[in-house]
Each structure stands twice: as structure tokens, then as C-alpha cells.
Amino acid sequence: MLHAKTAVVDGQWATVGSANLDALSLRANLEVNAVVENAEFGVAVERMFAQDLYQCDEVTLEAWKGRPLLERIISWFAYQFRAWL
């Protein structure tokens, strides 16, 4: 699984990497992003994002609340250790 963050601005400027766009990631965490200013690359990233979005399932509040009990227990347990995960 790849957990990269991507952004494209005006189909021309794109960034791909591990950094979140928050102060902690940008100042303190060891993160890396590639920044590319190229229309062909920007369009390719937009196309990949659209394909990924097509394969996603929307998570609604109603569906989230209706999760099976075991999944809710596992989620609760993982949340207790979120600082170490």
C-alpha cells in the first residue's frame, strides 16, 4: 500500500510525497515530496487521482455507525494506541 499525498494546481504544478500539509509535517517530521512543474505530469497525476477515486467507496456517517461489532471493537482498541501506531 502506498500512502502518498498528491496535489495538482492548474494542471501544471504537482507534488507527490509523504508530507501532510500541516506545521508538524512541514517543520519537524522526516518527510519528502517531489515537486514537478510540468503540464504533462500534472495531467497524468490528475488522471491517476480520478481513477483512484472511481475505485473508492464513499464512507457515510450512517455506514460508519452501522459497522459490525468486531470492527468497532478493533477500531476502539487501535485508537487507544494511536500515538504508537
Side-chain angles (χ1 to χ4, degrees):
M1 172 188 247
L2 176 63
H3 185 72
K5 284 76 170 190
T6 61
V8 180
V9 177
D10 296 334
Q12 174 69 31
W13 182 95
T15 180
V16 179
S18 62
N20 292 310
L21 295 177
D22 63 10
L24 182 61
S25 290
L26 297 174
R27 291 188 185 133
N29 291 348
L30 296 175
E31 307 282 358
V32 64
N33 275 42
V35 175
V36 179
E37 194 168 342
N38 177 279
E40 186 176 335
F41 184 79
V43 169
V45 173
E46 287 178 335
R47 188 178 314 114
M48 285 185 277
F49 179 76
Q51 289 170 349
D52 289 344
L53 191 59
Y54 178 75
Q55 297 175 16
C56 293
D57 295 322
E58 181 179 5
V59 178
T60 63
L61 180 58
E62 182 178 306
W64 184 79
K65 287 182 176 181
R67 295 171 296 154
L69 181 59
L70 180 60
E71 186 177 327
R72 295 171 80 165
I73 292 169
I74 292 169
S75 293
W76 177 87
F77 185 75
Y79 181 76
Q80 303 310 307
F81 294 95
R82 66 192 176 277
W84 296 284
L85 296 176

